[in-house]
Amino acid sequence: MKHYITLVVLCLFLSKPSFAQKEWNVVTRDSRGAAQITTEEIQMNEDRFENSDFKIVVGKSNEAISVNDPRISDETKLKAANTLFHLEHAKKYFTHTVKSLEVAKLEPITIRLEHINQFSDLGHFMNDAKEPQFNNALSIPAGVGMSGANIAPWKREIWFRPEKHIPVAEIMAMQGGNPLNPVIKKVRSAIYPMEMGTGLSNVVYALVNPQGSWSNTLLSSETLQAGTLLLFEAGFQIMRFLNKVLTPSHYFLDTAMIPEIITHEFSHIALSDYLELSHSTPVIEGLADYFSASLNETPKLALKIKQYSTAQGKNGKNKKLFAIEYENNRMANSDFVLSLLWGMREVLGKENADQVIFESRKYLKTNSSDIRTGLINALVIACNTTCKQPANDRLKLFIYFEKRGL
Amino acid sequence: MKNMKKTKLKIIPFSTALFFACTTQAYSQIGNTKAPPDSNYFGHSENKAYRSLPDEYKTPEYTASFLQELEHHLSADDCKTELMHHLTAQVDENILPGLIVSLRREQKIDDVLFLSLFKEVNEGPLTTSPDTSEEPQRKKTKEPTKDSCDRYSAIKFARNTYLVSKETPIPSEFASKTIKKSHGLTQQVKLYQDFDGFQILTLAKLYQNFSKRISATSAEVIIHYGTKDSEIYALSMMEQYRMAEKMFHKEIEEMKLKPIFSGKMVTFEDVIMAALETGAVNGDQINTILNVKELWDPKVTFNQKMQSFMLKIGGPAMILVPPPFNQLVALGVIFLQSVAGKQKIKSAEERGISIF
């Protein structure tokens, strides 16, 4: 009997995949928040980018990337190591700090790199002929597949698209021109009428007071006005030129190389027990941004990483006022919700804020919760059950939300 | 040394309040001119204050229970114990007379109150009994008279019986902070000076109502069209909060018209102090609650005042200053307008995204 038990235990031990600590280069942040490449230990299979929590694959493949595969470029291997490292970090945060039982029980998640196919909730991947996708990342919900069409069921996954350099001029043309133009227009509308008015009043004054050498006085004052106008105009043109020189010529975003984007996507998975992965709303994106910021200990997301991105990034310290436009799904990637939630740390304390914000997902609806009612209601209700001093903390939250224009 | 002095001075007002409440002479001179005529203040049917009581407090059952509770707290021993407890806990026996003298020199108290306090301290100096225990005791303590304890006991009764919190209120700096333009009185002493027990309870009730409203799970506005039709608008949490704030403000203003206050000025701070004294709110919540007032009485910083002033003189300056320097003034005004515009937080209601 004893030998039988030993044999069973031995079989179980041998059947379990063995993972080891491997050292790989990954992208991390230095003390000033700038991106750097450092060597870190990653828990992974002997020769594959895979462990008990994640499996990193390329494109539509279902096989984990092999360390020794000559067909896989070094850059892709770096991306695989980078995503695996940051995803492990994110999972630890949700299981240890936020204490999410759901995340602790998560099935192994498949991570697809360099994947350009669009998502189909029926067929998993859209047809290759459909427009390929670049410069973004997304988390997809599980699907049942279609046995008749030879499409196997799939579980939750995270997809990272490859980067693609797009000329900024093209993007600006699509968005209606240089963003500096409205600013210049505003200053012109304030200065020019005043200058014109002064010039005109000088002429009228000279005409009704014809004594003395009025023509000389008028000439000099009008020259002064014209000179001032020219100076302003020259200033505007210099600003335009500088803006053109300082703005990057191309837009690109290598999502698999940016730590905050990787953790943002995992946050979607962690929140998906209540917030489905089917929608991208300002509330859902903002919550994922907050947890990405919290676990990376910085409110600045995807900033100071010019080698992998020329995108604008997000700043949770930007205490902008609420505007109704932020409710629009087209503004889902603005940093208002991130900054609103990040500011709650000053009100409730870091740990308490983490708990309240995580708890709030239970009172949100995936597709209909907006910021001013849905999110605020959810946070206040979550505070009732999670805050240390609910009455006082709730009042603090009301005062804080009021200050943020909500 | 400076710190020591500060600490002592913070303690003084609370002790002064207790002395004030437990000293007959001081009460009649410094306190409310409407001093209670006897210990049966709340139960006397002919008393003016009692006549203004709402009916719910005039039931025989309530009066009986109130008297029973009041008698208990009015006993001399209870009042003395309270006084001794606070004095021994907060003020050193040796410095107490000195502190009272300094209070008088700094004109924080008048001569009558000074004399009564000084007499109280000198007649019963604190000492440690060597043979029985290490608890400080008075060698000889003057018994506080029954009516001197009336007001303080009424408040204590309120705190212990029919307000929310049964927890011991946490002291707050707000209570011991000296109020400007109030002859050096603290918020706590001013409350006892301006209002009697029932008035303080009424003020505390205002805060309680506000607190209940912001804790409500939902709120709706119902519009009846006169027919069977009606419209229901569900308020968001922030609308509910702002509505509660506005109702709170309105009720404070309306309180001045109530007969029981007979034209007395009721301030937001009085309401909060009453809530603190009666245990409706704890000291650690005060700093949060004081911000509630921001909605109807926002703080104006020095920078904001300066900006407003500069913007006012900027217009005439653009005309009076000769060119080309007037351009600089114009630029300065544009800059200030943009900065001031950013700093001024328009409420959600002003921006049309909320009905409250």
Side-chain angles (χ1 to χ4, degrees):
Chain A
M1 185 66 186
K2 252 185 185 179
H3 294 294
Y4 179 71
I5 291 170
T6 314
L7 192 66
V8 169
V9 169
L10 193 65
C11 285
L12 281 172
F13 179 75
L14 289 174
S15 65
K16 195 183 167 190
S18 60
F19 301 116
Q21 296 279 348
K22 290 261 185 179
E23 287 196 339
W24 280 89
N25 282 347
V26 297
V27 180
T28 54
R29 299 286 188 177
D30 66 16
S31 56
R32 288 178 299 173
Q36 60 178 0
I37 297 277
T38 55
T39 306
E40 304 287 342
E41 285 190 341
I42 303 171
Q43 182 83 9
M44 59 183 278
N45 195 314
E46 278 300 317
D47 60 347
R48 287 185 182 276
F49 288 99
E50 181 183 23
N51 61 26
S52 56
D53 300 321
F54 303 101
K55 181 171 75 172
I56 319 288
V57 303
V58 171
K60 290 191 278 187
S61 163
N62 282 325
E63 290 297 314
I65 297 172
S66 168
V67 172
N68 305 315
D69 190 341
R71 294 169 301 167
I72 306 289
S73 68
D74 285 346
E75 194 189 343
T76 305
K77 285 174 190 167
L78 175 64
K79 286 180 186 178
N82 195 45
T83 47
L84 194 54
F85 174 75
H86 290 291
L87 287 167
E88 276 298 333
H89 173 51
K91 187 164 183 179
K92 266 183 200 158
Y93 165 82
F94 278 102
T95 48
H96 292 89
T97 308
V98 181
K99 297 188 174 29
S100 164
L101 297 173
E102 190 63 29
V103 172
K105 292 187 292 186
L106 268 183
E107 73 279 6
I109 306 284
T110 301
I111 314 297
R112 298 189 183 277
L113 302 180
E114 318 288 9
H115 189 51
I116 54 171
N117 288 74
Q118 291 182 36
F119 170 65
S120 160
D121 49 5
L122 292 174
H124 198 183
F125 310 120
M126 269 199 188
N127 193 296
D128 289 350
K130 292 277 183 185
E131 190 184 355
Q133 301 292 300
F134 300 95
N135 298 330
N136 67 30
L138 77 160
S139 305
I140 62 150
V144 291
M146 284 191 287
S147 54
N150 202 21
I151 296 166
W154 68 92
K155 294 188 174 169
R156 287 175 282 192
E157 295 180 355
I158 300 175
W159 296 1
F160 293 96
R161 312 295 197 185
E163 65 172 359
K164 184 183 180 185
H165 290 239
I166 302 168
V168 170
E170 277 181 26
I171 298 168
M172 274 191 188
M174 282 166 62
Q175 290 178 345
N178 193 331
L180 202 61
N181 287 348
V183 182
I184 292 175
K185 198 176 170 186
K186 196 177 171 185
V187 180
R188 270 184 185 150
S189 65
I191 299 287
Y192 285 16
M194 194 184 73
E195 288 295 322
M196 299 287 195
T198 314
L200 198 65
S201 63
N202 285 342
V203 173
V204 173
Y205 182 76
L207 288 173
V208 296
N209 295 287
Q211 303 96 338
S213 54
W214 62 271
S215 57
N216 285 343
T217 317
L218 179 64
L219 195 65
S220 62
S221 66
E222 292 300 307
T223 314
L224 211 59
Q225 298 293 335
T228 314
L229 280 179
L230 280 173
L231 266 176
F232 270 106
E233 200 50 46
F236 296 148
Q237 297 310 321
I238 290 169
M239 274 170 69
R240 274 193 175 143
F241 173 74
L242 286 175
N243 187 47
K244 200 174 178 181
V245 171
L246 296 173
T247 308
S249 59
H250 285 78
Y251 168 82
F252 65 93
L253 183 63
D254 198 348
T255 50
M257 291 304 286
I258 300 172
E260 298 86 33
I261 294 180
I262 300 166
T263 48
H264 168 100
E265 291 306 325
F266 185 79
S267 301
H268 278 306
I269 300 280
L271 296 165
S272 65
D273 52 346
Y274 286 89
L275 300 172
E276 293 166 37
L277 296 168
S278 52
H279 286 70
S280 173
T281 67
V283 171
I284 294 174
E285 294 303 324
L287 283 170
D289 280 340
Y290 173 77
F291 287 109
S292 177
S294 179
L295 69 91
N296 286 301
E297 292 288 342
T298 172
K300 294 179 178 176
L301 304 182
L303 290 169
K304 291 188 179 179
I305 192 155
K306 284 178 182 165
Q307 57 271 47
Y308 304 117
S309 164
T310 51
Q312 212 171 3
K314 295 180 184 179
N315 185 359
K317 282 207 166 174
N318 185 0
K319 290 187 177 173
K320 56 179 82 166
L321 275 186
F322 173 75
I324 197 82
E325 292 81 8
Y326 296 136
E327 298 282 20
N328 198 317
N329 279 358
R330 282 184 301 175
M331 296 285 277
N333 284 315
S334 90
D335 52 15
F336 175 75
V337 177
L338 166 65
S339 73
L340 180 78
L341 299 176
W342 190 262
M344 279 175 60
R345 293 176 146 222
E346 287 173 25
V347 180
L348 302 178
K350 186 181 141 194
E351 277 104 30
N352 204 2
D354 277 1
Q355 292 299 328
V356 169
I357 294 165
F358 191 65
E359 181 74 7
S360 72
R361 79 199 190 286
K362 293 179 183 173
Y363 311 104
L364 288 166
K365 287 176 182 155
T366 304
N367 55 357
S368 62
S369 286
D370 59 3
I371 300 170
R372 63 209 148 123
T373 49
L375 180 62
I376 301 300
N377 280 16
L379 290 168
V380 172
I381 297 167
C383 181
N384 288 340
T385 54
T386 325
C387 283
K388 286 171 188 164
Q389 295 178 304
N392 196 29
D393 289 342
R394 202 172 47 223
L395 188 56
K396 279 183 185 172
L397 282 180
F398 281 132
I399 292 165
Y400 167 67
F401 293 145
E402 170 77 24
K403 283 183 180 166
R404 295 300 302 269
L406 278 155
Chain B
M1 190 62 194
K2 273 183 183 176
N3 288 340
M4 270 180 69
K5 195 175 178 182
K6 268 188 181 174
T7 317
K8 285 171 194 170
L9 286 174
K10 273 179 192 170
I11 295 164
I12 292 162
F14 186 61
S15 309
T16 312
L18 284 166
F19 269 122
F20 171 66
C22 293
T23 311
T24 314
Q25 302 94 319
Y27 181 80
S28 58
Q29 294 294 324
I30 303 294
N32 196 332
T33 48
K34 291 178 182 176
D38 53 44
S39 60
N40 206 17
Y41 181 59
F42 277 92
H44 200 291
S45 60
E46 290 173 11
N47 187 289
K48 191 182 171 186
Y50 181 73
R51 279 200 303 274
S52 59
L53 276 176
D55 289 337
E56 58 184 294
Y57 296 112
K58 288 179 181 173
T59 56
E61 295 81 17
Y62 179 79
T63 313
S65 67
F66 182 85
L67 275 174
Q68 193 184 356
E69 196 68 34
L70 201 59
E71 280 297 325
H72 172 68
H73 286 288
L74 282 174
S75 68
D77 281 348
D78 195 8
C79 192
K80 186 180 74 179
T81 311
E82 193 73 38
L83 180 66
M84 289 287 286
H85 171 74
H86 285 295
L87 283 178
T88 51
Q90 300 199 32
V91 184
D92 189 318
E93 56 178 293
N94 299 317
I95 63 167
L96 193 56
L99 287 176
I100 294 162
V101 173
S102 72
L103 275 177
R104 184 200 189 194
R105 286 184 180 172
E106 288 172 24
Q107 296 183 329
K108 301 280 183 193
I109 52 173
D110 70 2
D111 285 351
V112 180
L113 181 57
F114 163 71
L115 287 171
S116 60
L117 294 178
F118 202 64
K119 194 178 170 194
E120 183 85 17
V121 172
N122 277 347
E123 282 184 2
L126 298 166
T127 182
T128 306
S129 174
D131 50 355
T132 53
S133 70
E134 288 189 9
E135 287 289 313
Q137 293 175 343
R138 281 184 189 279
K139 284 175 184 169
K140 186 178 76 178
T141 307
K142 184 190 171 189
E143 289 288 313
T145 53
K146 203 175 184 184
D147 60 342
S148 72
C149 298
D150 184 31
R151 178 172 291 225
Y152 184 70
S153 300
I155 301 304
K156 206 170 72 171
F157 162 67
R159 181 187 289 168
N160 292 339
T161 51
Y162 68 107
L163 274 176
V164 251
S165 177
K166 297 285 177 192
E167 295 165 17
T168 311
I170 299 168
S172 161
E173 275 191 26
F174 169 72
S176 55
K177 200 174 165 187
T178 311
I179 314 162
K180 282 179 188 172
K181 299 177 185 174
S182 189
H183 308 291
L185 291 182
T186 64
Q187 197 67 56
Q188 190 180 35
V189 175
K190 183 178 172 289
L191 183 81
Y192 282 92
Q193 177 176 312
D194 289 352
F195 305 103
D196 61 36
F198 180 71
Q199 287 169 331
I200 291 171
L201 280 177
T202 312
L203 295 180
K205 194 81 183 160
L206 283 187
Y207 177 76
Q208 261 194 292
N209 290 342
F210 167 70
S211 181
K212 272 162 68 181
R213 283 172 196 142
I214 61 168
S215 312
T217 50
S218 67
E220 292 168 343
V221 174
I222 304 172
I223 306 163
H224 297 285
Y225 295 126
T227 57
K228 283 183 180 175
D229 288 345
S230 60
E231 184 184 339
I232 298 174
Y233 176 85
L235 300 182
S236 70
M237 281 283 182
M238 288 310 294
E239 284 173 327
Q240 193 177 315
Y241 166 68
R242 279 189 285 267
M243 183 187 74
E245 264 189 342
K246 287 177 179 182
M247 287 173 79
F248 188 31
H249 186 202
K250 179 174 166 277
E251 285 168 356
I252 293 173
E253 292 301 313
E254 284 177 348
M255 205 47 78
K256 294 165 191 169
L257 303 173
K258 298 262 182 192
I260 56 163
F261 286 92
S262 56
K264 272 184 189 170
M265 285 296 288
V266 176
T267 64
F268 172 78
E269 285 75 15
D270 290 331
V271 176
I272 301 304
M273 190 64 235
L276 184 67
E277 277 299 286
T278 51
V281 63
N282 266 335
D284 58 349
Q285 299 173 353
I286 285 291
N287 288 338
T288 311
I289 293 161
L290 289 175
N291 288 321
V292 166
K293 196 184 170 187
E294 282 279 296
L295 188 74
W296 66 82
D297 188 14
K299 282 176 198 161
V300 183
T301 62
F302 179 75
N303 282 348
Q304 284 169 330
K305 282 179 190 169
M306 281 306 292
Q307 274 172 17
S308 169
F309 174 72
M310 297 300 281
L311 282 173
K312 273 178 190 165
I313 63 163
M318 277 195 287
I319 299 162
L320 296 173
V321 175
F325 303 107
N326 62 345
Q327 309 300 329
L328 291 174
V329 178
L331 279 177
V333 169
I334 291 169
F335 174 74
L336 276 178
Q337 275 174 341
S338 65
V339 171
K342 275 181 188 170
Q343 284 184 350
K344 189 174 185 287
I345 299 172
K346 278 193 174 180
S347 69
E349 185 192 347
E350 283 173 317
R351 289 181 291 134
I353 55 174
S354 166
I355 67 163
F356 281 105

